[in-house]
Amino acid sequence: MDTGFADAFLAALALRAGYNSALVAVGAGLLGAAAGAGGTFLFLRKRALVSDAVAHATLPGIGVAFIAMVTLGGDGRNLPGLLVGSAVSATVGLLLVEWIARRTRLPEDAAIGAVLSVFFGFGIVLLTVIQTMSSGRQAGLESFLLGSTAGMLYADAITIAVGGALSVGIVLLLRRPMTIVSFDPEWAAASGVNVRGVDLAIMGLVMAVTVIGLKIVGLILVVALLIIPPVTARFWTQRTERVVWIAGALGGAAGYLGAALSASAPDLPTGPIIVLVAFGLFVVSLLLAPDRGVAAALWRQRRFQLDVHRRQGLLALARREPIFDRLTLKVLRHEGLIRPDGVGTPAGAAQAAKVLRDEKRWDVAREIYRDETISGRYDGLTSIEAVLTRDEIADLDRRLGPPVPVAPHGAGAPS
């Protein structure tokens, strides 16, 4: 990495790259935290496409707000005015999606597709019209598609930072009812929770995050910031409440690091960099998460394979059968259960006798219980002591009689 770029990146991380850059980094971090936490509820409700419809529905509002402000003699590029226009347009789009899904036979995904395409197409037409206006040629409204902080003013950065902080506050305030509704809406309704009201609150939060993130991430990429952190967080925990916090932390980290990277080089666009950082966190989690990651899955698969070979090798020792499989011999040698010449050790003979005894115990258990709740728990690898109680095992041993020891003997031709 170039030394100058590294120094600039470290300065941006420490908020020493300029006042506006610091505000953008803080605002992007708050926005990412709100987007990650808010997007979790959409992810749990399996309504991720709603964020896409809301994002695309903001474009007509931006165009109408610009034209209205110019017509009234104001500055069409005023960010608070543009955000208000986009919020109104997104609200109309959101309500239209809900109305179509509730009042017609169309499913929600079809309603989302219709609203998304119509609103986005209308917004593009408005942007084209604005480009023909004398005051619209330098409006820079196309930056709302992919985001841009290059021309951001101090007031704009303050607006985004405050909006991001308010969104995080809403998540903290309403996290419990939104979590309950997202996880189990039927139980929430039975408990007296206003499910429709909470759903609208979730949609309102998503709309707020989308509108605030237009200048930084853009309406096309803000959907990624709403969805990638929750999906990433899911790799690290199975508890719903923790997914919210982890997603918020990942989204905040992506926003802050992406803004710092963008501030380190003038030609790096902020929005795409933030999304790429979020995707990088997703890839790391996909590969290295302790329970759900690819590496953990590969290790479990390898561990299962070795356990199967160990068990089959011990059964072969107990039954005095030859062993020719290379991996089985390798596992038994590695654990000291057979000698290098293939002869079973005393420890191997003892464990072989135990494995054979457990097999006979399960044969008797299947005949006695004839019940999947008992016999169905046996997978051939788990110790019987972890499945049955001591009294149950003692009863099986009384029926089987005393165990038969296994004498050490040759495991077969060494490979």
Side-chain angles (χ1 to χ4, degrees), residues 236 279-289:
W236 295 96
F279 179 71
L281 294 174
F282 167 79
V283 171
V284 171
S285 301
L286 173 67
L287 296 176
L288 302 180

Side-chain angles (χ1 to χ4, degrees), residues 151-221:
M152 186 179 294
L153 303 176
Y154 168 76
D156 298 342
I158 287 290
T159 300
I160 293 171
V162 171
L166 290 176
S167 299
V168 172
I170 292 173
V171 172
L172 293 174
L173 185 64
L174 300 178
R175 70 187 186 281
R176 185 162 184 80
M178 290 194 295
T179 300
I180 294 172
V181 170
S182 299
F183 183 71
D184 194 341
E186 289 78 14
W187 184 85
S191 302
V193 177
N194 185 349
V195 175
R196 186 169 185 272
V198 174
D199 262 338
L200 289 177
I202 294 174
M203 295 300 103
L205 176 62
V206 170
M207 184 191 69
V209 170
T210 301
V211 169
I212 296 165
L214 288 177
K215 188 64 177 176
I216 293 181
V217 186
L219 64 88
I220 294 178
L221 297 178

Side-chain angles (χ1 to χ4, degrees), residues 101 242 275 324 405:
R242 290 181 182 175
V275 173
F324 299 101

Side-chain angles (χ1 to χ4, degrees), residues 219-236:
L219 64 88
I220 294 178
L221 297 178
V222 75
V223 179
L225 201 57
L226 283 163
I227 301 304
I228 293 178
V231 174
T232 305
R234 194 67 181 86
F235 284 110
W236 295 96

